[in-house]
Amino acid sequence: MPSITMQPKEGEMFHVVPVIDLREGGVVHARRGDRGRYPPLRSSLCAGNDPVAVVGGLLRLHPFHVVYAADLDAIQGTGDNRPALARLRGAFPDVGFWVDAGFRTADAVRGFVASGLGDAVLGSESLEGLAPLLALKDDPAWTRVILSLDFRDRLVGPPGLLDRPDLWPHRIIAMTLARVGSGEGPDWSRLAEIGRIKPQASLFAAGGVRDGGDLRDLAARGSAGALVATALHDGRIGGAELDALSR
């Protein structure tokens, strides 16, 4: 198992970030990036798949500070889930939301940040070039941007992005789409690669996290946190483990 070359930042806590995938106003169960076949979420933490009920169930499990929301309709260009995001913002004003809504331009990011719905996740799969990053780097909205480096067999995104860590914001998500919902474990080699490219970044792992052991390994190897969904909803990661990581 390759080691991540990043070192834990002094005073930086490991953050578990629960994920919700929104489609047509409800939460669906993501698995291996095959978005057309995601079924409605069934969770041990709540009844039904209404976003407010799902996040409420997650917060009863643990007082998460941040929730990641993927607006699948916006990412796929078939609509958006802004009403659901607004309901979540209103229901949980003390929770931060990281939202991937398929942002393709700097203006789209600026508009979303100004809306007050959350921080903007720029997914590499949605970018057609580096221009949005170049435009945002010196913009006041930059501190509200997270970059998700999305991988299948290789990076899904504009050529040259991995060669320009100077254009990456401080918070980076290493997203291995084929491992989402798979329970196969984190993509250690990918995390090590990103850690070598920009060791000073706050790196969040996404895809494949199975249990508390994976979370502890990620923390020990210098990751700032992990995005998790399935293992929370099926009970493989419980409140006691989450509380222990927060100490």
Side-chain angles (χ1 to χ4, degrees):
M1 182 184 296
S3 294
I4 299 173
T5 57
M6 297 171 63
Q7 295 298 316
K9 314 293 188 301
E10 184 176 352
E12 185 172 280
M13 183 183 297
F14 184 84
H15 295 280
V16 178
V17 180
V19 174
I20 59 171
D21 290 273
L22 300 170
R23 187 173 63 200
E24 297 179 355
V27 181
V28 294
H29 185 179
R31 184 171 175 82
R32 298 187 184 276
D34 187 5
R35 294 182 177 129
R37 302 180 65 179
Y38 291 174
L41 178 71
R42 297 181 64 182
S43 173
S44 64
L45 303 176
C46 64
N49 73 328
D50 178 80
V52 172
V54 172
V55 173
L58 289 164
L59 293 176
R60 286 189 293 274
L61 177 68
H62 180 76
F64 296 105
H65 298 294
V66 175
V67 172
Y68 174 105
D71 184 339
L72 301 180
D73 297 302
I75 291 170
Q76 295 180 292
T78 59
D80 66 62
N81 285 272
R82 290 289 183 103
L85 293 168
R87 287 178 59 221
L88 289 168
R89 178 78 276 168
F92 307 106
D94 296 327
V95 175
F97 289 90
W98 295 358
V99 179
D100 182 349
F103 304 111
R104 291 170 173 79
T105 66
D107 283 343
V109 170
R110 294 186 187 105
F112 181 81
V113 168
S115 75
L117 293 176
D119 287 3
V121 176
L122 265 177
S124 66
E125 66 171 335
S126 298
L127 296 176
E128 296 179 355
L130 301 180
L133 292 167
L134 285 162
L136 288 166
K137 186 169 173 52
D138 297 317
D139 191 280
W142 186 242
T143 59
R144 304 284 303 281
V145 173
I146 303 107
L147 175 63
S148 179
L149 297 171
D150 303 322
F151 293 90
R152 293 190 187 275
D153 293 333
R154 60 187 65 189
L155 179 74
V156 184
L161 180 56
L162 293 180
D163 300 321
R164 294 295 307 271
D166 59 303
L167 295 180
W168 300 2
H170 180 64
R171 293 172 292 176
I172 301 293
I173 297 167
M175 175 81 71
T176 301
L177 293 164
R179 295 198 182 209
V180 170
S182 70
E184 293 179 352
D187 190 342
W188 298 106
S189 61
R190 191 74 67 192
L191 290 164
E193 175 189 4
I194 301 305
R196 286 191 295 269
I197 294 172
K198 191 161 186 173
Q200 69 271 35
S202 287
L203 178 60
F204 293 80
V209 172
R210 297 164 292 194
D211 51 31
D214 282 342
L215 296 177
R216 289 188 292 273
D217 285 346
L218 286 163
R221 287 168 168 76
S223 284
L227 275 58
V228 186
T230 302
L232 296 173
H233 293 293
D234 67 16
R236 281 179 289 135
I237 296 175
E241 289 171 304
L242 294 165
D243 293 343
L245 279 164
S246 299
R247 294 184 188 130

